[in-house]
Amino acid sequence: MLSSFRLSMTWVHTWFGLVLGYVLMACFFFGSLSVFDREIDRWAIPETRYEPQALPSFDTMLLPIFKQIKPAEESYEHAQDEVEGPLPPADTMVPTHFTAYTTHRDPVLSMYSWFDVPNQPKDPNVDHVHVYGDATVDPRNGMLISSDKLKIGSAFFYPLHYHLHLDWKDLGYWIVGLAALIMLVALVTGVIMHRKIFREFFTFRPNKQTQRSTLDLHNLTGVVALPFHFFFAFTGLVIFAGIYLPVTEKMFHQQHQAHEKLEAVQTGLPHDPAGVAAPLASVDAMVEEARRRWAARGMGGEVGFLEVAHYGDTNGYVSIYRAGTDRVTLTGQGIHFRASTGELIREEPQPTTVSGINEWLTGLHLQHFRHWMLRWLYVFGGLCGCACIATGFIFFVEKRKRQHAKAGTSGARWVDALAVAAVTGMMIATATILVANRLLPESLPARGDWEQRIFWFAWLVALLHAAWRSAPVQRALISPAWREQCWALAMLCIAAPVLNWITTGDHLFKTIGERYWPVAGFDLALLAVAGVTAYAARRLARAEASAPASATSERATMDAAHA
Amino acid sequence: MSHVQHWLPLSSRIGSALLGGYIFVWGFSSLIVALNLFLGGDYDEGLTLAYMLAFLVFIVAFLWAFAATSLTRVWLILAGGGTAMTVAAWMLTQTLSAQL
């Protein structure tokens, strides 16, 4: 495009990186938090602060709960939009599929039911529409956890990092997908731009001028964690490839159906119900048998995922998957049983090369393994990504703000304001939802919805504040919004653990003493953030105080040169 | 150089990278799925393989769109090539459906 290859690649890096960088910041930050999403859930829902539990008895505890689960309102309304004619009333719908899901870090069990819909789907390429319902259960006693309680880690931060909670036409997935592609592009172009890449491994000059040290840090964080950044953006795309490239729905519908029918015959797992009622044999016995079979293959461990398909039908079957705590690969070594008799239908063989690679890629991203040190490395890698993106913004502004100030244009100012909102503003919103979680009344209806609203509102306020305070950038100075938001963040990050103590009695001495790391660790992390941001705020204050002087002296030298 | 003269090729260049790149990747993925089926492979295997390669192809197509000198050639190869591969994949599936 431009006169040289490297100039063209630099252009792509700068401009695509800038525009999608704001999205990438959120993906990397909330992705990093998602590494400990279950622990954040414990912090946010104090009644679930107990040790992780294994799958409880299906026959005595889970089956009665599954039968009570009703279609979720949202899912019911969504299904209504997809089918011809009015749906039968939600109360009369009969569940046909059950799934239960847990991990080695979950004290609670997530349960889902699907309900078949008799209506004709509007889309001719869709065979069936289903309605879903879910419940969260304390496996120790079968008590339900209210759905008004928001799992801030696994149900808010985690989905935020891959679809931004923009559900309309999957828009959020597409924006994040584009951002991930641009991340990959930025990494490749970044390497092309800098030929002295090996040296950048070891170069950080914190006391040079801001522009130079920012660029050092940008290169350092980009290069040190380069494989990590590449891998996560890439596997993120592969995980959601079905949304980005729906070739099955658009081109191979017929072939896919034929494949599913053939697969059902080959595996012995019926694709459709027979329409003949049948009882359900003891699922607990099937779980025992599955455990025995895994143990015989040298794999111990717990059940991670259990599914009952075509419940109440003679074609029904039960699939039991291992929790993959002992390996990177996301594989369940599924064992399938006939639901009505409990006899074994199939034990899944080793995956083929292609799906083995795919399971390894997705497994490394989704981290079902039990390895705390690796988990922390993930957080470190993700935060390196955040630092890389943030310094990218700052370098962009530092490089241009003097020219823009001279030319009287405001580009650098608005980029800087958005950067404040994307970096400190995002963290303020994160800390605010935690504070709100501890302050809102326990019995508030739709409490979780209020928490989410407060999160977005706090972010919006941070954006407006950043825009309002950004005028000094136009005079080539530092925006005071950086410092002010750092202070706000530091205070919120102290308030959250204090409120946790006041409202639950779980102060740090207690949680550390009891070795209850999900809450102790998160409180400590919040205090660490408070410390770092307070330090940053003080450094910024010093820089602001010295900046006008140097700007004036720079002008004086310039004037002298002109004279 | 007026603004229009500057913006038009630039928008076209960005469009070729994003839209052209997407069409190319779509064609590439569907062709892999179709070829795999045609050669008697398992459907899911072909799809998984296509998905794992698709985004690597996209990065190359995207960067090439900005590196290449001729914008016409970029559009021709990315959008044209992508369409051609999609049509080829579709024709392959038609011969397969005839066998079903």
Side-chain angles (χ1 to χ4, degrees):
Chain A
M1 179 177 73
L2 299 174
S3 56
S4 86
F5 174 64
R6 271 182 70 197
L7 277 179
S8 303
M9 294 299 104
T10 306
W11 188 92
V12 170
H13 186 92
T14 306
W15 293 100
F16 279 95
L18 176 69
V19 175
L20 274 312
Y22 296 109
V23 181
L24 285 170
M25 191 76 202
C27 299
F28 271 83
F29 182 69
F30 291 108
S32 307
L33 292 184
S34 301
V35 175
F36 288 112
D37 60 345
R38 298 306 202 277
E39 289 71 17
I40 297 174
D41 287 352
R42 301 294 72 78
W43 195 95
I45 310 177
E47 61 263 44
T48 63
R49 291 179 184 175
Y50 47 84
E51 291 306 309
Q53 305 288 316
L55 190 82
S57 162
F58 184 94
D59 300 340
T60 57
M61 184 188 287
L62 299 186
L63 185 59
I65 299 172
F66 272 124
K67 286 189 193 161
Q68 282 168 30
I69 295 178
K70 292 288 167 224
E73 217 172 291
E74 234 174 84
S75 170
Y76 186 83
E77 282 163 16
H78 187 253
Q80 181 63 78
D81 294 338
E82 306 236 304
V83 295
E84 307 285 351
L87 287 176
D91 287 348
T92 63
M93 286 185 162
V94 182
T96 54
H97 271 69
F98 302 134
T99 60
Y101 174 58
T102 190
T103 73
H104 71 280
R105 290 154 53 230
D106 266 305
V108 295
L109 182 73
S110 303
M111 300 169 68
Y112 306 87
S113 293
W114 332 349
F115 305 83
D116 279 353
V117 167
N119 308 46
Q120 185 67 37
K122 282 181 185 160
D123 184 346
N125 281 338
V126 173
D127 300 323
H128 300 287
V129 170
H130 299 281
V131 177
Y132 304 92
D134 67 306
T136 303
V137 176
D138 180 344
R140 299 171 306 173
N141 50 29
M143 301 280 277
L144 294 182
I145 312 286
S146 162
S147 59
D148 281 348
K149 296 284 169 68
L150 178 65
K151 292 173 185 159
I152 291 182
S154 63
F156 187 67
F157 292 159
Y158 172 58
L160 181 56
H161 105 279
Y162 59 76
H163 72 43
L164 312 171
H165 292 287
L166 287 174
D167 296 327
W168 181 73
K169 294 209 181 286
D170 289 342
L171 183 66
Y173 286 102
W174 285 92
I175 294 174
V176 171
L178 177 61
L181 179 73
I182 296 307
M183 183 73 203
L184 297 174
V185 162
L187 290 168
V188 176
T189 50
V191 171
I192 295 169
M193 284 159 75
H194 304 280
R195 279 179 297 192
K196 285 172 278 183
I197 193 137
F198 183 72
R199 214 164 73 185
E200 280 166 0
F201 246 113
F202 308 103
T203 310
F204 178 44
R205 290 158 287 182
N207 296 321
K208 289 261 183 168
Q209 51 155 315
T210 318
Q211 187 177 328
R212 188 62 241 178
S213 33
T214 312
L215 186 60
D216 282 348
L217 196 56
H218 182 64
N219 296 338
L220 181 80
T221 49
V223 172
V224 164
L226 185 75
F228 176 91
H229 300 327
F230 193 93
F231 188 86
F232 275 81
F234 173 65
T235 50
L237 285 165
V238 173
I239 288 168
F240 290 117
I243 290 178
Y244 303 132
L245 295 165
V247 286
T248 299
E249 289 80 358
K250 303 290 177 202
M251 285 181 69
F252 303 107
H253 184 63
Q254 215 183 337
Q255 285 75 19
H256 182 245
Q257 268 187 321
H259 159 77
E260 281 198 330
K261 296 241 154 73
L262 181 69
E263 194 178 44
V265 173
Q266 282 170 348
T267 58
L269 304 177
H271 184 259
D272 298 304
V276 180
L280 180 63
S282 166
V283 174
D284 289 348
M286 299 179 214
V287 169
E288 263 323 294
E289 175 63 13
R291 279 220 185 92
R292 199 190 60 74
R293 284 177 176 269
W294 289 324
R297 281 155 69 186
M299 300 178 295
E302 295 297 333
V303 176
F305 189 79
L306 185 147
E307 177 178 14
V308 180
H310 312 310
Y311 169 67
D313 190 276
T314 171
N315 267 359
Y317 61 91
V318 177
S319 303
I320 298 167
Y321 297 89
R322 261 179 91 240
T325 46
D326 56 353
R327 58 202 66 204
V328 166
T329 294
L330 185 69
T331 180
Q333 288 106 6
I335 300 181
H336 311 272
F337 300 89
R338 196 170 306 287
S340 52
T341 60
E343 76 183 283
L344 181 83
I345 304 178
R346 173 181 161 83
E347 194 168 335
E348 276 176 20
Q350 287 293 321
T352 58
T353 314
V354 171
S355 53
I357 294 171
N358 189 49
E359 284 171 0
W360 187 80
L361 291 177
T362 42
L364 200 50
H365 193 126
L366 298 174
Q367 27 177 319
H368 283 240
F369 46 78
R370 189 199 308 266
H371 195 303
W372 296 103
M373 168 111 128
L374 196 50
R375 234 163 236 289
W376 275 106
L377 275 176
Y378 274 37
V379 175
F380 173 75
L383 293 181
C384 265
C386 293
C388 183
I389 299 159
T391 47
F393 294 142
I394 297 169
F395 177 69
F396 183 99
V397 172
E398 287 298 318
K399 195 176 167 188
R400 287 165 183 78
K401 72 180 184 189
R402 280 169 206 86
Q403 293 158 275
H404 285 200
K406 250 187 277 174
T409 52
S410 57
R413 173 184 176 175
W414 299 120
V415 167
D416 190 71
L418 285 172
V420 172
V423 181
T424 49
M426 172 181 69
M427 293 173 79
I428 283 176
T430 306
T432 307
I433 194 177
L434 298 171
V435 169
N437 169 274
R438 290 295 84 227
L439 284 181
L440 289 172
E442 284 298 309
S443 55
L444 183 74
R447 193 175 189 269
D449 294 347
W450 282 107
E451 288 170 48
Q452 296 187 42
R453 277 181 214 128
I454 290 169
F455 172 89
W456 296 113
F457 181 73
W459 203 340
L460 180 69
V461 170
L463 171 67
L464 293 176
H465 170 259
W468 169 53
R469 299 291 276 156
S470 61
V473 181
Q474 218 156 345
R475 284 178 276 125
L477 299 173
I478 302 172
S479 166
W482 285 105
R483 173 177 43 84
E484 289 159 2
Q485 296 205 0
C486 276
W487 280 126
L489 178 59
M491 282 185 277
L492 285 164
C493 285
I494 292 170
V498 170
L499 286 168
N500 175 43
W501 170 20
I502 295 171
T503 53
T504 67
D506 290 347
H507 54 79
L508 267 170
F509 293 110
K510 181 169 172 236
T511 48
I512 292 175
E514 290 168 358
R515 302 274 186 282
Y516 192 64
W517 293 113
V519 170
F522 196 52
D523 273 349
L524 285 172
L526 283 165
L527 292 176
V529 173
V532 170
T533 40
Y535 173 73
R538 296 190 53 168
R539 282 287 301 261
L540 281 163
R542 241 184 298 154
E544 277 173 60
S546 65
S550 65
T552 340
S553 68
E554 208 172 285
R555 195 162 307 147
T557 13
M558 249 163 34
D559 289 347
H562 280 287
Chain B
M1 190 164 62
S2 85
H3 271 287
V4 179
Q5 276 170 334
H6 181 68
W7 276 104
L8 209 64
L10 185 63
S11 319
S12 175
R13 186 72 72 164
I14 294 171
S16 73
L18 288 172
L19 186 66
Y22 185 78
I23 296 171
F24 190 84
V25 169
W26 181 282
F28 172 83
S29 312
S30 56
L31 191 58
I32 286 197
V33 174
L35 273 174
N36 172 65
L37 282 177
F38 188 74
L39 298 172
D42 177 80
Y43 184 87
D44 285 341
E45 288 279 294
L47 189 70
T48 307
L49 182 65
Y51 282 167
M52 286 195 294
L53 297 175
F55 300 100
L56 299 175
V57 173
F58 209 150
I59 304 172
V60 176
F62 188 97
L63 290 176
W64 178 68
F66 286 97
T69 355
S70 161
L71 188 51
T72 325
R73 194 191 302 160
V74 170
W75 272 112
L76 208 67
I77 290 185
L78 291 187
T83 312
M85 283 190 285
T86 309
V87 171
W90 183 79
M91 280 163 54
L92 270 177
T93 63
Q94 292 313 104
T95 61
L96 286 169
S97 312
Q99 292 165 18
L100 280 176

